[in-house]
Amino acid sequence: MPVTIDLRQAIIHKVHGQSEEDLRHMIEGSVDGPEAALPGLGAVFEMIWKDLDTAKQDNLVSMLHDHLETITPGDITS
C-alpha cells in the first residue's frame, strides 16, 4: 500500500532539521523563483503566521497592504 502525506507534511518533512542558514537559502531561492516553489513558501508562511500574536499579524497585513498599494500588477497570462 503506498504511503500518502499531504503537501504541508511533505514541506515540513523537507525543511525539518535545517539550519537557519539553510532555511534562508530556501526562502531566498524561492522568492521570485519558479512557481513550483510557491506552495512551499505558503506552507512556511502558514507556520509563521500561526505563531504570531495578533499585533504582529496586523503589522504584517499592514506591510503587505502598503506594498500592494505601491505596485502595479502585471498582465495575467494564460
Side-chain angles (χ1 to χ4, degrees):
M1 175 177 277
V3 176
T4 305
I5 61 174
D6 65 32
L7 183 58
R8 284 181 181 91
Q9 288 303 313
I11 292 164
I12 291 168
H13 181 75
K14 183 175 180 176
V15 299
H16 186 265
Q18 290 191 2
S19 69
E20 289 182 14
E21 183 178 350
D22 291 338
L23 291 171
R24 176 178 287 277
H25 287 296
M26 184 270 302
I27 293 167
E28 289 176 347
S30 298
V31 171
D32 293 327
E35 293 213 0
L38 294 178
L41 286 176
V44 170
F45 176 78
E46 181 181 62
M47 286 186 267
I48 294 166
W49 181 263
K50 287 179 176 181
D51 285 342
L52 295 175
D53 62 39
T54 303
K56 288 180 181 175
Q57 287 177 343
D58 291 345
N59 188 10
L60 188 56
V61 169
S62 180
M63 286 173 45
L64 176 59
H65 180 265
D66 291 348
H67 181 77
L68 289 170
E69 290 293 310
T70 66
I71 64 171
T72 302
D75 293 333
I76 297 176
T77 59
S78 54

